Amino acid sequence: MKIVKLGFGLVLLALLMAGCGAPDQINARNLQAAHKSMNRIKQHLPPDRQLPFEVAYWLVREQLKHEADFLKTIDGKTPSQLIELGQAAFGARKSAGDPKYASYQNWEQLLTESGKQRAELGDAEQADPRDKKGYPRVDYKMHAM
């Protein structure tokens, strides 16, 4: 009887361990899973590492046009490893003379400019003026049926 309980417990433990996965590694089973995984990991990173992580992800995606190659490259990568891949992709694009990256002196400048652009976009988004009427109505946001 104890052997059955022990066996059941080990099977249950193995299933739990397999289901949990690595929370700090990118799951690149498919493109949608990779995007979800990237966003989940980014939300749990310290604020100073979120932008480099996201920029690196999109630089690698831009460099590897073929979906299968991209997924194979990023699968199981940690944030640090992905940032290193992004820095390498930036260096390769810059040395190849890509006009999009030629204006940046280094990786840090790319991150600084990306952060500024993101801040400007955030400032440009303004609240709907109808929200400031002083009464809590939401029916004006309803679409015609």
Side-chain angles (χ1 to χ4, degrees):
M1 188 66 167
K2 287 184 179 184
I3 294 175
V4 173
K5 286 183 181 180
L6 180 62
F8 180 71
L10 288 175
V11 169
L12 182 63
L13 182 64
L15 288 174
L16 286 173
M17 295 297 286
C20 292
D24 65 334
Q25 294 180 345
I26 296 177
N27 173 11
R29 174 182 59 223
N30 57 42
L31 197 56
Q32 183 180 8
H35 289 318
K36 284 182 180 180
S37 182
M38 185 271 298
N39 285 323
R40 180 183 44 79
I41 291 171
K42 184 180 80 168
Q43 290 174 352
H44 291 94
L45 286 174
D48 62 326
R49 292 192 37 132
Q50 290 178 356
L51 184 63
F53 178 72
E54 186 174 7
V55 168
Y57 178 86
W58 291 111
L59 271 169
V60 172
R61 177 65 180 130
E62 192 175 83
Q63 184 183 30
L64 300 170
K65 300 287 185 192
H66 194 268
E67 186 176 313
D69 293 338
F70 171 67
L71 295 175
K72 186 176 168 185
T73 301
I74 67 166
D75 190 33
K77 296 289 190 261
T78 63
S80 301
Q81 292 170 330
L82 187 67
I83 290 171
E84 288 175 10
L85 283 175
Q87 288 174 336
F90 168 74
R93 300 287 296 266
K94 183 168 174 54
S95 64
D98 189 336
K100 188 174 179 182
Y101 300 103
S103 62
Y104 301 113
Q105 298 298 321
N106 53 30
W107 172 254
E108 287 76 24
Q109 186 180 15
L110 171 68
L111 294 177
T112 303
E113 293 298 319
S114 297
K116 286 179 185 176
Q117 289 174 355
R118 194 168 276 200
E120 289 172 4
L121 286 175
D123 292 342
E125 293 178 6
Q126 294 183 355
D128 190 340
R130 295 175 287 189
D131 286 338
K132 298 179 182 178
K133 286 186 177 178
Y135 53 90
R137 291 188 54 174
V138 294
D139 61 343
Y140 63 86
K141 292 184 179 180
M142 294 174 65
H143 299 284
M145 296 181 113

